[in-house]
Amino acid sequence: MLEHVELFFKSIFIDNMVFAVFLGMCSYLAVSKKVATAVGLGAAVIFVLAVTVPLNWLLDQYLLQEGALSWLGPEYAEYDLSFLSFILFIATIATMVQLVEIVVEKFSPSLYNSLGIFLPLIAVNCAILGGSLFMQAREIPNLALAFNYGVSSGIGWFLAILAIAAIREKIRYSNVPAPLRGLGITFIITGLMGIGFQSFGGMLTGGDEGVGEVEETVQTEQKAPEAELTKTENDAETAEQDAVSYNDVTINKQ
């Protein structure tokens, strides 16, 4: 359970798709002028990532990896189809994006018209493909964690585009210098937000470091009395040896 919670918060705040690795920036910049449009696209991205990352995990585990085809028989155990990863991952993503496009057009024509070309372009959104490739590179061990990673990565992208959309709506009423209006001030705000999100980097590691420091201090305090006792015993042995040597010298002189 703890690994699920850690992966969830880490994918949203620390390894955010936009602010950590700057993936999906084209849609992030183009569809973030209104909050309503940003919410619709963000929800679509969450859905696509939540479905495609687990599906691509299954493809990777049971078809693409070296030895993944061993379930077909021992003669297939040496096959390695990892060179097909990009093709199959993109095919899975394109299929799910088509499904999302059909659903949005059916139930929310206004949102479909406001998103325009950027809804089908989710299929080539590098954040979507990046989710599957990061899942593969990080060797996520099971399907539940893959689903967790897909959902949390989508939520991280959703929060990023929602935040910048809300800020850009307010900026319209601000006195921004002429050379910075438009994408200029948007890039500056994105950089500042990225710095803010990176401040969460110690959220999941600070506790472990603190525990390690406490344990090290306790071990040092436990070793200190033992070292003093050993030193006392050595001093006693040295004194006893000196006394014996003195007695031997005295007897020899007599």
Side-chain angles (χ1 to χ4, degrees), residues 43-137:
V45 168
I46 291 175
F47 175 78
V48 173
L49 276 172
V51 176
T52 57
V53 172
L55 286 178
N56 287 333
W57 183 89
L58 291 173
L59 288 175
D60 185 55
Q61 291 292 319
Y62 297 104
L63 185 63
L64 299 175
Q65 286 186 4
E66 184 178 358
L69 294 175
S70 58
W71 55 276
L72 291 175
E75 63 274 15
Y76 298 96
E78 296 182 358
Y79 282 79
D80 183 7
L81 301 178
S82 58
F83 63 93
L84 296 174
S85 296
F86 283 92
I87 297 175
L88 292 181
F89 286 178
I90 292 175
T92 304
I93 292 169
T95 303
M96 296 314 303
V97 170
Q98 280 297 113
L99 177 61
V100 170
E101 187 177 0
I102 292 171
V103 172
V104 172
E105 185 179 10
K106 176 69 175 178
F107 293 100
S108 182
S110 59
L111 178 60
Y112 178 81
N113 292 329
S114 62
L115 291 176
I117 190 62
F118 292 99
L119 185 57
L121 281 181
I122 294 177
V124 292
N125 189 334
C126 49
I128 306 296
L129 181 59
S132 297
L133 294 179
F134 286 149
M135 170 274 300
Q136 185 185 46

Side-chain angles (χ1 to χ4, degrees), residues 206-219:
D208 295 338
E209 292 177 358
V211 171
E213 291 176 359
V214 171
E215 291 179 351
E216 184 177 356
T217 303
V218 171
Q219 292 176 358

Side-chain angles (χ1 to χ4, degrees), residues 175-254:
N175 187 18
V176 179
L180 295 179
R181 290 174 187 171
L183 290 179
I185 192 65
T186 304
F187 275 115
I188 293 174
I189 295 172
T190 300
L192 294 175
M193 292 171 66
I195 294 173
F197 269 67
Q198 290 304 304
S199 65
F200 292 101
M203 182 174 62
L204 300 176
T205 58
D208 295 338
E209 292 177 358
V211 171
E213 291 176 359
V214 171
E215 291 179 351
E216 184 177 356
T217 303
V218 171
Q219 292 176 358
T220 304
E221 291 177 352
Q222 290 177 349
K223 291 179 179 179
E226 296 177 359
E228 292 179 358
L229 180 60
T230 304
K231 182 179 179 181
T232 304
E233 292 176 351
N234 292 335
D235 292 342
E237 292 178 357
T238 302
E240 185 178 354
Q241 291 175 358
D242 291 342
V244 171
S245 300
Y246 176 77
N247 292 333
D248 292 340
V249 172
T250 304
I251 291 172
N252 291 332
K253 286 182 179 180
Q254 292 176 354

Side-chain angles (χ1 to χ4, degrees), residues 23-53:
L23 294 180
M25 293 298 293
C26 52
S27 303
Y28 168 81
L29 294 172
V31 194
S32 59
K33 295 180 181 179
K34 296 182 180 180
V35 171
T37 308
V39 169
L41 185 63
V45 168
I46 291 175
F47 175 78
V48 173
L49 276 172
V51 176
T52 57
V53 172

